[in-house]
Amino acid sequence: MSLNEQAIRSASANHPRPHNTTFAYGTAGFRANADTLDSTMFRVGILAALRSKKLAGQTIGIMVTASHNPEQDNGVKLVDPHGEMLHSSWEQYATLLANAVSDDSLVATVRQVIQATGVDLAVKAKVVFGHDTRPSCRSLVRAVVDGLAALDTDQVNAGLVTTPQLHYLVRCLNTEGTPEAYGEPTVDGYYRKLATAYSTLATGRHLLPALTVDCANGVGAPKLKEFLKVVGNDLLPIIAVRDSTTQAGHLNFDCGADYVKTQQRAPRNVELVPWQRYASFDGDADRIVFYYADADGVFHLLDGDKIAGLVAGFIMDLVKDAGLDDSVKVGVVQTAYANGASTKYLTEGVPVTCVPTGVKHLHHAAESYDVGVYFEANGHGTVLFSPLTLSTISAHSPSSPSASAALSNLRALVDLINQTVGDAISDMLLVETILLHRQWSPAQWDRAYSDYPNRLVKVLVADRTQFVTSDAERRLDKPEGVQAAIDDAVAKVDGGRSFVRPSGTEDCVRVYAEAATRDTADELANTVARIVHDKFGKGPQPASFF
Ligand code: G16
């Protein structure tokens, strides 16, 4: 079968590439102002079709979303057959296609990708796509569809979904009817799978006070409500706030997981009742952070690091109680953003690996453990059970009634966790399950360790591509000389740690700093941000970066 060049060329003419723009495949795919993305979406449709053909017609996923970014941005995440992010070896092809300067050069680039990867054009491609609540999704999805059609692809439109629901669908579609069947390939099937597992784990437990969930005014709001109808309020009392998806400009604005984590405060106008539990999703519901206020109204964050500690400890207890601790070992994966206190706490009990930012990196590192718990500090993460561990858990015969109870809880936990990617709804259920079983308040959960004071700031620079890191992003190799200046600043601060890396989702450089006290952590963040801004900054330097 030959390539229908004419179909690509004529469809491409309807999706012209903007001049003077270079697209880069970032931490989680392409992300930019929505007005610039039409051609990229069209080309991503082509790429997904080629990827599916390359993988013998397995279904590939496309999620149109810019997640935590402001509403005017949009983006796209590509999902490989097992539900994981697009394999990194194909990111270069995504970038090449997105940047082809004309319809002719796009055709030539498609040919180049086919040749480089050995795509068999005779294989029928299958792609499932979905989108979040951004107003720009409508037209961008049309561009994706045109790209898919240009390669005569079988398409499944999943419509409005959370990112993790789309990942779930991809895995289900590819495993349906096999021994590895992951679930029913529908959003209803997703709800039923999670609700059944949660009911098994929660029934008979003494209910905790309601959890208030900030939905970031995003897709998590309708999807959480759909899920609550399936699971019922009796087992899961939830109060949803920031749940408006129709008011312009509200998505992620002064709310959501990214706001709460970076600002270290509750969403605007959400008054925290002391000691009650709160959680925030991000714009596409693949991240979650928890928090509470103490009696003095002081805000306490329970971020991805705290979730990792809670989850790893609970799974280790279940594994031990089930009598599986000789054969099933738990490991944790973090990034440089993990609070130093969390790493210290975790390494006392489990092996801990540090990898660069991006679930694509954490996910693969977690696959090397029997049970790999991976969480970014920003609340993005999940748990992976290796195929051998799943067989061990499924075949194990418990030796006592208490071992049997632990084993059935472990089996339900396997179903409760969305193992394809970080999932705010699934992670929320996981945390709620553990708190139910432990009968813990958020403050009791928080007691495991105290975070070192820290600060994360953004610096606007003229060209973030000149920032090159190494050592899992903890060192800056380029621009030359900057790392030495950071080292000098850090050496002057008690308990100081700081690093600089370019964001892969926003046009900025991020600076992270932690230190023994709030004031010194803040000062270190500002000092390092100034080091970057002095030489490479864009616009006037702010008096403070936060
Ligand atoms: C994406 C990635 C995350 C990453 C975050 C920030 O999250 O999936 O792994 O931590 O971007 O990345 P960066 O610091 O490079 O901007 P999301 O929730 O925005 O898709």
Side-chain angles (χ1 to χ4, degrees):
M1 197 179 163
S2 61
L3 186 69
N4 188 343
E5 295 190 358
Q6 191 44 42
I8 296 175
R9 216 174 265 118
S10 59
S12 174
N14 295 325
H15 302 284
R17 182 180 174 282
H19 298 297
N20 306 323
T21 310
T22 306
F23 297 100
Y25 194 98
T27 310
F30 294 107
R31 210 171 282 192
N33 185 289
D35 294 342
T36 66
L37 280 173
D38 184 76
S39 63
T40 299
M41 293 292 173
F42 170 71
R43 292 154 188 228
V44 160
I46 292 176
L47 180 93
L50 293 173
R51 179 80 179 145
S52 172
K53 285 174 186 287
K54 170 65 189 169
L55 298 176
Q58 293 187 84
T59 302
I60 296 297
I62 298 177
M63 180 69 194
V64 177
T65 178
S67 193
H68 76 275
N69 289 46
E71 190 166 301
Q72 64 271 21
D73 286 358
N74 215 322
V76 62
K77 296 178 177 180
L78 280 148
V79 184
D80 258 357
H82 218 56
E84 73 280 41
M85 296 285 201
L86 175 73
H87 194 274
S88 55
S89 61
W90 270 60
E91 293 180 5
Q92 56 179 316
Y93 305 127
T95 305
L96 279 176
L97 288 170
N99 290 304
V101 290
S102 64
D103 303 339
D104 283 340
S105 71
L106 175 62
V107 170
T109 309
V110 171
R111 284 220 169 280
Q112 188 188 337
V113 175
I114 291 169
Q115 199 178 18
T117 59
V119 162
D120 179 355
L121 286 171
V123 175
K124 184 82 174 168
K126 292 191 206 85
V127 172
V128 54
F129 56 91
H131 62 87
D132 72 13
T133 55
R134 281 159 214 270
S136 55
C137 284
R138 216 183 147 96
S139 69
L140 293 178
V141 165
R142 273 202 299 271
V144 167
V145 167
D146 285 354
L148 295 173
L151 266 80
D152 190 26
T153 309
D154 276 352
Q155 306 175 16
V156 179
N157 183 352
L160 181 71
V161 282
T162 68
T163 292
Q165 286 176 337
L166 198 271
H167 284 249
Y168 165 90
L169 291 175
V170 171
R171 178 127 159 207
C172 291
L173 287 165
N174 286 309
T175 54
E176 200 177 12
T178 73
E180 287 79 42
Y182 193 64
E184 190 193 318
T186 63
V187 170
D188 284 343
Y190 164 93
Y191 293 140
R192 278 194 291 271
K193 180 175 178 181
L194 265 54
T196 305
Y198 183 73
S199 301
T200 304
L201 287 155
T203 301
R205 306 270 155 188
H206 181 68
L207 279 190
L208 299 170
L211 169 72
T212 301
V213 179
D214 149 31
C215 301
N217 293 321
V219 63
K223 299 299 160 183
L224 177 62
K225 288 174 189 173
E226 286 171 13
F227 174 70
L228 290 176
K229 281 191 194 140
V230 178
V231 77
N233 238 359
D234 300 351
L235 279 183
L236 190 63
I238 298 260
I239 302 160
V241 298
R242 295 291 177 276
D243 56 349
S244 153
T245 56
T246 48
Q247 284 167 287
H250 281 216
L251 175 65
N252 292 327
F253 186 68
D254 283 352
C255 62
D258 202 62
Y259 175 86
V260 170
K261 167 72 181 161
T262 53
Q263 301 292 314
Q264 305 188 17
R265 67 166 75 121
R268 188 186 289 258
N269 297 332
V270 172
E271 292 298 324
L272 301 189
V273 177
W275 311 118
Q276 296 296 306
R277 290 184 328 290
Y278 295 81
S280 286
F281 293 179
D282 72 340
D284 63 342
D286 62 1
R287 299 192 207 171
I288 187 169
V289 294
F290 289 76
Y291 42 96
Y292 67 98
D294 62 25
D296 299 324
V298 176
F299 174 85
H300 297 265
L301 182 65
L302 296 154
D303 62 4
D305 300 337
K306 289 274 180 179
I307 297 173
L310 182 78
V311 170
F314 186 68
I315 294 178
M316 281 163 71
D317 285 352
L318 282 186
V319 163
K320 185 160 179 277
D321 294 348
L324 283 166
D325 44 331
D326 282 343
S327 46
V328 176
K329 303 289 177 201
V330 177
V332 175
V333 185
Q334 301 186 309
T335 72
Y337 289 116
N339 193 278
S342 80
T343 311
K344 187 165 175 286
Y345 167 78
L346 285 164
T347 40
E348 282 162 14
V350 287
V352 178
T353 316
C354 181
V355 299
T357 301
V359 272
K360 58 188 180 186
H361 299 295
L362 288 105
H363 194 92
H364 289 302
E367 283 172 331
S368 64
Y369 293 115
D370 298 333
V371 179
V373 178
Y374 75 80
F375 271 92
E376 294 184 290
N378 61 22
H380 204 162
T382 188
V383 182
L384 303 186
F385 295 82
S386 74
L388 181 62
T389 302
L390 288 175
S391 311
T392 306
I393 291 172
S394 141
H396 185 61
S397 301
S399 58
S400 67
S402 65
S404 173
L407 188 64
S408 53
N409 284 336
L410 194 55
R411 287 175 179 158
L413 215 61
V414 167
D415 281 344
L416 185 71
I417 295 167
N418 185 344
Q419 292 181 55
T420 64
V421 79
D423 180 336
I425 294 178
S426 164
D427 289 339
M428 176 194 81
L429 296 173
L430 177 59
V431 167
E432 289 299 291
T433 294
I434 300 172
L435 297 182
L436 258 186
H437 279 238
R438 304 269 203 227
Q439 285 294 302
W440 275 358
S441 67
Q444 285 170 299
W445 166 18
D446 203 12
R447 258 179 225 156
Y449 62 88
S450 298
D451 274 330
Y452 299 146
N454 61 92
R455 186 64 70 182
L456 177 61
V457 300
K458 295 179 198 178
V459 183
L460 300 182
V461 294
D463 177 12
R464 68 185 150 129
T465 62
Q466 49 181 327
F467 290 78
V468 179
T469 62
S470 59
D471 188 22
E473 303 182 321
R474 291 173 287 202
R475 308 281 303 169
L476 201 55
D477 293 344
K478 286 183 184 162
E480 269 161 36
V482 180
Q483 185 60 53
I486 298 171
D487 289 342
D488 282 351
V490 167
K492 292 183 186 131
V493 176
D494 184 23
R497 181 168 79 90
S498 181
F499 63 90
V500 172
R501 60 173 283 279
S503 165
T505 61
E506 298 175 61
D507 193 10
C508 68
V509 158
R510 300 198 198 279
V511 172
Y512 177 84
E514 67 183 36
T517 67
R518 172 82 273 149
D519 286 350
T520 50
D522 288 350
E523 186 44 38
L524 181 59
N526 265 332
T527 304
V528 174
R530 269 184 227 114
I531 289 169
V532 173
H533 197 280
D534 276 348
K535 278 198 179 162
F536 311 98
K538 194 164 70 176
Q541 187 171 118
S544 170
F545 284 82
F546 54 89

